[in-house]
Amino acid sequence: MLFADMRGSTQLAEGMNPTEFKELIDRFYSETTHILVHSYAMIDKLAGDEVSGFYIPGIVGKDFVQKSVEAALDMLRVTGHSDPQGPWAPLGVGIHTDKAYFGAVSSKDGLVELTALGDAVNIAARLGSQAAAGEVLVSEVAAQKAGLDTSQLAKRRLELKGKREPMDVWVLRVTE
């Protein structure tokens, strides 16, 4: 699961008229969803200044976690995090993997939505919300399944909202 969240969008919106901000969000959605689609993710939501995607092993293949990490780094690149002048959309990304429910949820009135649910989804969302601009926070289990070489990566211990125990994550950034 991958959650990408634009940082500081309230401040960005404050300095733009509503149409300019809408164009920024459209560009953000366009760039990030292009990456998700081309990495075979199921796009879950476009909500405010966040996009989420899920990598289902039966669709993506056995390297589904590695593809999510590559997609996250591509998102940082496309939003300008490797640009010396800085990003046009400050972005933080969280990645976690574990079992989750993926399918339809509905109301008794017939409203149906396709989504993912469960503790693993909540963890990925919390990682996305805690990632600073230019960071991809990858859970320990996701890093292992992706085959990441963590020898040169920073490790961080996080308290996640609603979780009893802190969680160790690896911090990735783009440098090129």
Side-chain angles (χ1 to χ4, degrees), residues 41-62:
M42 300 289 295
I43 296 173
D44 180 45
K45 288 185 180 53
L46 306 178
D49 62 358
E50 181 181 74
V51 60
S52 56
F54 303 104
Y55 290 80
I56 300 169
I59 295 171
V60 180
K62 63 182 175 154

Side-chain angles (χ1 to χ4, degrees), residues 40-130:
Y40 303 104
M42 300 289 295
I43 296 173
D44 180 45
K45 288 185 180 53
L46 306 178
D49 62 358
E50 181 181 74
V51 60
S52 56
F54 303 104
Y55 290 80
I56 300 169
I59 295 171
V60 180
K62 63 182 175 154
D63 60 346
F64 67 100
V65 182
Q66 182 180 3
K67 286 192 178 179
S68 71
V69 171
E70 291 167 3
L73 293 171
D74 286 345
M75 286 180 178
L76 291 182
R77 286 182 194 98
V78 78
T79 54
H81 287 275
S82 57
D83 186 331
Q85 296 175 358
W88 58 267
L91 189 65
V93 184
I95 295 175
H96 180 61
T97 188
D98 204 347
K99 291 184 178 170
Y101 169 83
F102 186 79
V105 294
S106 61
S107 72
K108 64 181 179 180
D109 298 322
L111 180 63
V112 177
E113 181 178 350
L114 190 65
T115 192
L117 301 169
D119 186 51
V121 178
N122 294 337
I123 290 170
R126 299 289 188 253
L127 294 180
S129 70
Q130 288 202 25

Side-chain angles (χ1 to χ4, degrees), residues 5 23 37 41 67 73 90 92 108-109 114 117-118 128 144-145 149 157 160 168 171-172 176:
D5 188 27
E23 289 170 358
V37 167
K67 286 192 178 179
L73 293 171
K108 64 181 179 180
D109 298 322
L114 190 65
L117 301 169
Q144 289 172 356
K145 289 195 180 208
D149 175 5
R157 179 161 279 220
L160 301 179
D168 290 332
V171 182
L172 283 76
E176 43 191 71

Side-chain angles (χ1 to χ4, degrees), residues 16-61:
M16 300 176 173
N17 70 47
T19 302
E20 291 170 332
F21 186 66
K22 180 251 186 225
E23 289 170 358
L24 175 72
I25 294 297
D26 282 351
R27 181 178 176 196
F28 168 69
Y29 285 161
S30 179
E31 297 286 355
T32 56
T33 59
H34 177 82
I35 290 167
L36 290 172
V37 167
H38 285 85
S39 62
Y40 303 104
M42 300 289 295
I43 296 173
D44 180 45
K45 288 185 180 53
L46 306 178
D49 62 358
E50 181 181 74
V51 60
S52 56
F54 303 104
Y55 290 80
I56 300 169
I59 295 171
V60 180

